[in-house]
Amino acid sequence: MTRALPILRRLGALLAVIVLSTFFLSCLLRLLPTDLVDMILSMGTPQEKAALRHTLYLDRDVFTSYIMWFSHFIRGDMGIIYGTGGGETVWSHVTRSLPISLLIMLYTQVFALVIAVPLGIFTAYRAGKKSDRAISNTLFTASSVPNFALAFLLIIVVGVKLKWLPTLEYVGFKENPFQHFKHLAIPCISLGVGLAASYTRLLRTDVIAALKDDYVTMAASKGLSDSRILLTHVFRPASVTLLTAAALNMGALIGGTLVIETIFAIPGFGFEIAYALGTKEFVALQSFIAITAIGYVIFNVTADLLIGVVDPRTRGSR
Amino acid sequence: MFQRSTTGSRVMKKVGAGVVLALLASTVPMAANAAKTTSSASAATPVSGGKITVGVFDTFAGYCMKQILANSALGGARSIAETLFERNSDGRVVPFLLKGATPNADFTTWNLSIRKKVDGTPIQFSDGVAWNADALIANFNAIRGMTYVANLKTDTEKNFFGSTAVATGNIVSTTKADDYTVVLKLNKPQADLRELLYASGRFIMRSPNMFKDPAKCASTLVGTGPFMQQSSEPTKLVVVKNPNYWRKDAAGKKLPYLDQITFKYVVESAARVAGLKSGSLDAAQFSSASETKQMKDLSTSSAVSYFKTGGDFYPSLWFNTSIAPFNSLNARKAVSFALDRDLWAKTRGNGITEAATSIVGKNNVMYSTKNFATFNLAKAKKYAADYKTETGKDLEFVFPSANDSSTRANSKAFVAMMKKAGIKASFNEELLSDIVNKGFFEVGTGLKYQAAFLLTLEGLDAAFNYIFLSSNMFEAGTTNPMAGLARLAKIDTLLNITKHKDAQLDALLEAARASGTAADYKKVTERIQDQAYIANITYQSYAMATTKKIFGVGQTKLAAGGSAPAVFNWGTNWTSVWKKK
């Protein structure tokens, strides 16, 4: 029970954050500089507009309408896409696009971590040396390049000049695994380079700090090899910050995917958000942003729980 | 020009969502004036098979009467559904799904004869329904709004409701004479009915089955075209070869050649260019509204074949004549004379766009330079001063601007141009949907803004432009059963964008429609230019670029002879396009 309590507390906090964030979102819908119903039904009769206002819960007070919207939202009833004749539901767009974005985010994180972990440990181990300075400066430069600029650079060099990789579209894994990875390579690299750079720097700092801890000195005095000390005694505690950063960056990645998916015409969740913004599908947008907020919260709570597993010392304090 | 192409298309989309017509950002190709910069070799023998991906800058909102497809998205739909008339590469409107249209002496009754296959059997929609008089009348009913009226209770999304009903307000009745002939009666004489029924390529013929279910009508397009819809999402339309397509090429080979086309929405023009050059796209479309840099790059690239229309699309600054300051002729003239079009074409158009010399382009039947306010700073200042004398106020106005960077830059340049003439112009950045809503739908006043940039005039003919210039499409005494419908009357009022109540202009329009002659339509233009209801800065064009593996662009032969033009504002006719393996 004592072990479950922090988890329950965390889940309670998660629920509270979700409720608060989605409530503010529903308020935003009412603060739009235009009447949503007029926008959807420009030429509707007063009766038709009243009916739509009722359907969107806009004829009730803020709290009642929020409760009604939320109760439908959690059941996957998120309304319809109004610009397409009512034939498409928001939920169908979510189920179609979200897995694509989650995959992109996963690949991006894997790419960033695969680059960052060895480089972070290496640069920490070689702190102050030429190789550390060279890598650190390169990473600093890389992290200062916006992902969309890097994307265009890669498109021109790798896609247009060298013709190694495609510059548009998405191919499902089941459809063609090779093409799947080929199509996602430039988008994930564009998103991942900046992340890899910041992860490396974070890990380097933590590893350097950990290397100065007494238990590392003790391990070294016991005659353990450098590699064993680094991987077993240093990397594990040093990775706490990395994990937190990775979780926090999952939320930030949603913003990144919005731009990258638009550039590469990938029909992911970010693309859907951009599309909903562009076409003023505010009903859909409300659900999309709510899902983003929920995702952000879930990633953070998951990170908190994982950190407790990786570093038991943090369980009590978190 | 003040709205990016996507903007323009969104305008259309919104407009279409309720109202403005199937006509708004449409097109007119202008095959006749299509300026082909570089082209793919066409001597080789066409090869059947292959799949291509085409990058477009508009989305696929749906396919019923309510969802107006804009520009490049319309090209996708037109690969599935065909039109009664087509415009050929000479610029003439020729029968396509119709075999012919014959008027009576005063152009008030037209006999429409329906085309059959060469072997005399009926052309079929891809769902097996025959293309005959019943199918044509079903389509007219949908276009005219009668399907909407018949389905008021079941069509909750109002998918059967389209602004096309206003565009065809002059049609009073459609009667089946026999299985392949329909008699169409008009309220007032119209000599250019063929052009109206072409409607810039927008009056596509749908299978009558589409009109049984409004939701399906919006989601699934079924036509007689060379391709069939396989899947459709707002950002992607996939079409596959129609195995029973009714036409063959000159050698007797079945059309179309391609197995599949994917029309992919790629909003970023730079991504479309890169997609072409990397081979991720086989073809892509561009608009000079905000993509002149890309068009310039592609026009000189050896890696692609490039086709471009003439400047046959006319973005205009529409003055709201019902409120100050543009209820004053002095104010309208001051702004019109302050427009330095040559400078604009150079600085904002990258040499791609052409400075306007009339409210429509040189290839349009309405073209006339008479009374057009060419750039004259002295006159602009004089009219601004006259306005102050007239009203006691400085000439100031606000116009809306969409919030993308390209439009913002254009708006700033426009403000600077006005400043030189002592006119205080400013802009509010607004949601495009708001601009459209207030621009078209504001009940009572119509255009709520003092002025707004909108792309509505286009093409070679006048039938398409007529609706935006006339103050009344349902003239008094009409027997059109739709005339009494409040919703349509409202749209009719709103489509008169400038809100003019100019009886002289209406009379000129009616006379020109009756005669269909350029001389009469020029009088309309001259009246509009004299009263400065509209001001234009530059003309707009569209381009299609393909990889060097794509052939046959502009090679599609039309049923009545001649070829389809290489590119329209809605893209290309894909029937004869093929891909080298």
Side-chain angles (χ1 to χ4, degrees):
Chain A
M1 184 63 195
T2 45
R3 292 191 70 175
L5 203 58
I7 295 174
L8 288 175
R9 206 179 294 150
R10 194 82 67 227
L11 289 175
L14 180 145
L15 192 66
V17 173
I18 287 172
V19 168
L20 278 175
S21 59
T22 51
F23 175 70
F24 283 124
L25 268 173
S26 67
C27 292
L28 281 178
L29 211 57
R30 288 167 180 263
L31 293 172
L32 281 174
T34 185
D35 183 353
L36 188 60
V37 172
D38 276 345
M39 193 186 291
I40 296 170
L41 279 180
S42 317
M43 293 303 296
T45 61
Q47 293 80 2
E48 288 165 354
K49 288 186 180 182
L52 180 61
R53 209 173 291 283
H54 184 74
T55 305
L56 297 177
Y57 322 119
L58 293 173
D59 56 350
R60 279 153 259 198
D61 65 82
V62 176
F63 295 101
T64 313
S65 85
Y66 169 72
I67 291 165
M68 301 203 66
W69 171 80
F70 191 70
S71 64
H72 284 85
F73 171 79
I74 54 174
R75 283 179 280 162
D77 178 7
M78 300 173 186
I80 58 173
I81 303 287
Y82 283 93
T84 57
E88 294 197 326
T89 62
V90 176
W91 178 243
S92 72
H93 280 240
V94 171
T95 52
R96 195 164 61 204
S97 62
L98 193 56
I100 296 172
S101 290
L102 287 174
L103 262 187
I104 291 174
M105 289 156 75
L106 177 71
Y107 295 161
T108 301
Q109 290 284 19
V110 169
F111 168 78
L113 290 169
V114 162
I115 301 285
V117 169
L119 278 185
I121 295 172
F122 178 77
T123 50
Y125 185 62
R126 306 280 296 171
K129 303 266 172 56
K130 268 187 183 174
S131 53
D132 169 42
R133 284 202 298 273
I135 292 170
S136 294
N137 287 336
T138 306
L139 291 174
F140 184 71
T141 307
S143 64
S144 65
V145 180
N147 53 31
F148 66 86
L150 184 62
F152 279 117
L153 191 71
L154 289 171
I155 285 172
I156 291 166
V157 177
V158 184
V160 175
K161 299 284 180 199
L162 301 172
K163 296 192 189 297
W164 286 349
L165 293 169
T167 58
L168 285 173
E169 264 283 29
Y170 172 79
V171 175
F173 182 82
K174 285 180 185 168
E175 206 179 323
N176 186 329
F178 178 66
Q179 286 297 328
H180 172 76
F181 288 114
K182 215 173 155 185
H183 276 78
L184 290 183
I186 300 183
C188 291
I189 292 170
S190 308
L191 280 170
V193 165
L195 276 186
S198 60
Y199 290 173
T200 305
R201 288 153 64 84
L202 280 174
L203 189 60
R204 177 182 174 277
T205 308
D206 280 4
V207 168
I208 289 172
L211 282 170
K212 290 175 184 166
D213 276 342
D214 292 344
Y215 63 86
V216 175
T217 313
M218 170 68 80
S221 67
K222 282 165 70 178
L224 296 179
S225 68
D226 284 359
S227 57
R228 186 161 177 204
I229 292 170
L230 275 172
L231 292 175
T232 315
H233 297 284
V234 175
F235 177 62
R236 187 168 163 167
S239 61
V240 170
T241 313
L242 188 62
L243 258 180
T244 311
L248 288 174
N249 273 307
M250 286 298 276
L253 267 178
I254 295 171
T257 56
L258 193 147
V259 177
I260 292 296
E261 287 176 358
T262 303
I263 291 173
F264 292 93
I266 296 170
F269 199 60
F271 189 83
E272 285 288 350
I273 292 175
Y275 176 76
L277 274 170
T279 54
K280 317 305 168 210
E281 287 284 353
F282 289 115
V283 174
L285 197 59
Q286 184 182 17
S287 294
F288 292 160
I289 297 174
I291 290 168
T292 307
I294 291 168
Y296 194 84
V297 172
I298 290 174
F299 286 133
N300 278 285
V301 171
T302 309
D304 273 359
L305 297 174
L306 274 177
I307 288 163
V309 175
V310 173
D311 187 353
R313 293 173 303 175
T314 62
R315 279 178 200 154
S317 59
R318 282 172 177 272
Chain B
M1 121 200 22
F2 262 64
Q3 294 160 348
R4 297 169 22 126
S5 46
T6 42
T7 293
S9 59
R10 284 178 200 140
V11 169
M12 296 306 138
K13 197 181 310 158
K14 283 295 172 186
V15 169
V19 189
V20 173
L21 94 137
L23 316 180
L24 264 191
S26 75
T27 354
V28 175
M30 309 321 81
N33 12 305
K36 188 165 139 186
T37 309
T38 62
S39 69
S40 57
S42 56
T45 308
V47 175
S48 291
K51 301 175 179 182
I52 67 167
T53 303
V54 180
V56 298
F57 48 77
D58 296 300
T59 53
F60 301 91
Y63 307 99
C64 209
M65 312 314 296
K66 175 184 169 185
Q67 297 87 26
I68 307 301
L69 290 172
N71 299 325
S72 55
L74 178 64
R78 282 174 48 92
S79 71
I80 300 169
E82 299 173 312
T83 46
L84 298 176
F85 288 88
E86 276 294 332
R87 190 180 288 283
N88 69 13
S89 54
D90 298 328
R92 284 184 306 116
V93 168
V94 293
F96 193 74
L97 278 180
L98 287 184
K99 191 177 171 189
T102 313
N104 64 354
D106 67 355
F107 299 110
T108 52
T109 301
W110 288 73
N111 284 333
L112 309 181
S113 58
I114 291 164
R115 187 179 295 281
K116 296 179 194 171
K117 287 185 196 172
V118 178
D119 64 8
T121 59
I123 294 167
Q124 290 183 324
F125 292 92
S126 61
D127 60 0
V129 173
W131 166 239
N132 55 23
D134 294 328
L136 176 56
I137 288 174
N139 272 279
F140 268 123
N141 287 344
I143 286 170
R144 295 175 61 210
M146 296 168 84
T147 309
Y148 155 70
V149 173
N151 288 274
L152 278 177
K153 286 182 181 171
T154 52
D155 183 8
T156 54
E157 298 297 328
K158 303 291 177 282
N159 287 329
F160 290 137
F161 177 67
S163 49
T164 53
V166 175
T168 53
N170 194 34
I171 299 175
V172 173
S173 68
T174 54
T175 313
K176 178 177 172 180
D178 61 47
D179 282 351
Y180 294 95
T181 309
V182 170
V183 178
L184 191 148
K185 285 197 184 300
L186 303 177
N187 180 48
K188 293 281 176 80
Q190 179 155 16
D192 57 2
L193 183 81
R194 296 179 186 90
E195 282 77 5
L196 175 70
L197 296 183
Y198 169 62
S200 283
R202 293 189 163 271
F203 283 178
I204 52 174
M205 294 294 111
R206 298 162 171 88
S207 166
N209 282 334
M210 284 180 67
F211 306 127
K212 291 177 181 169
D213 177 349
K216 248 190 151 180
C217 179
S219 66
T220 310
L221 180 60
V222 180
T224 57
F227 295 91
M228 303 182 298
Q229 179 178 324
Q230 183 184 67
S231 64
S232 178
E233 298 166 19
T235 56
K236 188 161 83 172
L237 169 68
V238 182
V239 299
V240 293
K241 177 189 280 196
N242 176 358
N244 301 313
Y245 186 52
W246 57 283
R247 298 179 60 213
K248 293 178 180 173
D249 68 9
K253 197 171 186 174
K254 283 196 101 176
L255 290 171
Y257 300 125
L258 292 168
D259 286 339
Q260 182 179 304
I261 308 175
T262 300
F263 296 94
K264 176 79 185 165
Y265 172 62
V266 183
V267 64
E268 287 296 328
S269 52
R272 257 176 279 137
V273 173
L276 268 176
K277 291 185 174 176
S278 69
S280 293
L281 292 175
D282 297 282
Q285 193 177 343
F286 299 86
S287 151
S288 70
S290 63
E291 299 174 347
T292 49
K293 280 182 190 170
Q294 287 74 21
M295 287 169 72
K296 202 170 184 179
D297 169 36
L298 290 167
S299 68
T300 55
S301 171
S302 59
V304 300
S305 300
Y306 179 78
F307 309 86
K308 181 175 161 289
T309 67
D312 297 311
F313 311 92
Y314 323 120
S316 322
L317 177 61
W318 298 77
F319 298 117
N320 185 346
T321 64
S322 68
I323 56 172
F326 296 119
N327 52 3
S328 158
L329 179 60
N330 285 323
R332 300 199 296 269
K333 291 224 165 186
V335 172
S336 300
F337 278 112
L339 298 171
D340 189 348
R341 298 168 177 88
D342 290 325
L343 179 70
W344 187 279
K346 270 185 215 161
T347 55
R348 301 298 311 154
N350 287 303
I352 292 281
T353 56
E354 185 186 344
T357 50
S358 168
I359 58 164
V360 292
K362 288 171 187 163
N363 299 311
N364 190 284
V365 68
M366 296 175 68
Y367 179 76
S368 172
T369 55
K370 190 178 173 186
N371 302 331
F372 186 71
T374 51
F375 175 58
N376 188 324
L377 207 51
K379 279 191 180 177
K381 286 177 179 173
K382 176 202 165 291
Y383 279 113
D386 288 350
Y387 175 78
K388 186 160 187 179
T389 307
E390 177 191 349
T391 63
K393 293 176 185 172
D394 288 329
L395 178 49
E396 294 180 14
F397 71 101
V398 181
F399 65 96
S401 170
N403 54 2
D404 63 276
S405 58
S406 173
T407 307
R408 188 180 298 123
N410 281 348
S411 297
K412 283 181 180 172
F414 176 79
V415 168
M417 211 151 55
M418 291 297 107
K419 197 178 173 187
K420 285 182 188 170
I423 301 166
K424 287 182 191 168
S426 58
F427 61 92
N428 288 332
E429 289 194 358
E430 295 191 33
L431 297 177
L432 196 63
S433 51
D434 278 354
I435 295 174
V436 174
N437 280 331
K438 292 175 190 171
F440 290 101
F441 307 136
E442 203 63 26
V443 179
T445 60
L447 187 67
K448 185 177 181 181
Y449 299 108
Q450 291 169 306
F453 284 94
L454 297 163
L455 172 57
T456 58
L457 304 182
E458 61 180 55
L460 301 189
D461 56 73
F464 187 80
N465 301 330
Y466 192 102
I467 184 170
F468 301 106
L469 305 174
S470 166
S471 71
N472 183 13
M473 292 298 288
F474 296 99
E475 292 95 346
T478 180
T479 52
N480 183 339
M482 303 303 294
L485 200 68
R487 192 188 287 252
L488 288 186
K490 199 192 281 185
I491 298 169
D492 187 17
T493 307
L494 300 178
L495 289 180
N496 171 19
I497 303 172
T498 65
K499 308 319 299 167
H500 77 80
K501 291 174 182 169
D502 186 339
Q504 191 180 336
L505 175 57
D506 283 339
L508 287 170
L509 276 163
E510 215 171 286
R513 186 173 64 179
S515 74
T517 62
D520 282 341
Y521 271 122
K522 283 182 198 303
K523 288 178 191 165
V524 170
T525 302
E526 287 156 12
R527 173 67 183 171
I528 292 168
Q529 290 174 171
D530 177 58
Q531 292 299 305
Y533 291 130
I534 303 167
N536 293 57
I537 303 180
T538 53
Y539 301 140
Q540 193 169 312
S541 57
Y542 293 86
M544 177 67 71
T546 71
T547 66
K548 292 288 189 181
K549 286 185 176 177
I550 300 299
F551 295 85
V553 173
Q555 306 292 316
T556 302
K557 303 294 178 203
L558 296 174
S563 296
V567 60
F568 317 122
N569 74 340
W570 41 263
T572 287
N573 186 322
W574 299 99
T575 311
S576 294
V577 172
W578 56 282
K579 186 177 184 180
K580 192 176 176 184
K581 288 178 181 168

